[in-house]
Amino acid sequence: METSLLIRQLTEQPLIRDLPVDAAQAVLALRYCILCRRSERDPMPELERRWGNILAARRFRLVVEAIGHSWPDPFAVAPPCCPSASFDESLLAAMIGAAGRHDRARFDVLTAEMLGGDARAMIFAALENFLRARAPGRV
């Protein structure tokens, strides 16, 4: 494989529009939460509107807090208008996919190098709870 092609493949960032819907929505909501934190605004009204219910909004906020508490470095979030996902946002999208499939083994493979067991358990549970609140008729 040509070196430049390999480098491009390793550094390529996916477009938000190419992510699964749940993952794309979560990445955009996370960006919004970060903006709100910087401007000292409450993100809950917009999260409730985005997710359609207060329980999902609260559970997403817990996901954000769990990530903020556990991530070893500042979570890299792209600007709201950026069509590409940052590497951390791409990882979040994959984590949401694993949690949505209840695939803890895949989740651990994605995060084991940077998160300890307790942090992985906390974030996985928060993601599952959030996704359950989003599903119609399930809580």
Side-chain angles (χ1 to χ4, degrees), residues 24-78:
Q25 288 271 334
V27 167
L28 294 175
L30 176 66
R31 289 179 180 184
Y32 182 77
C33 287
I34 300 300
L35 282 175
C36 285
R37 172 176 264 163
R38 290 179 184 161
S39 63
E40 299 179 5
R41 292 182 35 209
D42 180 14
M44 290 304 290
E46 171 59 22
L47 293 177
E48 184 177 354
R49 186 198 64 73
R50 176 180 297 274
W51 304 128
N53 69 66
I54 190 69
L55 181 61
R58 287 180 180 155
R59 288 185 177 178
F60 185 76
R61 187 100 183 252
L62 290 174
V63 168
V64 173
E65 289 176 18
I67 289 171
H69 177 74
S70 304
W71 224 248
D73 297 315
F75 195 93
V77 178

Side-chain angles (χ1 to χ4, degrees), residues 74-138:
F75 195 93
V77 178
C81 60
C82 184
S84 298
S86 72
F87 293 111
D88 283 341
E89 291 171 336
S90 297
L91 178 56
L92 174 62
M95 292 163 48
I96 288 170
R101 293 184 304 277
H102 309 289
D103 188 349
R104 178 61 194 266
R106 177 69 182 146
F107 183 89
D108 286 345
V109 166
L110 292 168
T111 58
E113 288 187 26
M114 58 187 259
L115 298 174
D118 289 345
R120 288 194 314 272
M122 178 175 58
I123 294 172
F124 188 78
L127 284 170
E128 279 192 318
N129 288 336
F130 161 66
L131 292 169
R132 202 171 23 255
R134 293 249 0 254
R138 293 178 53 195

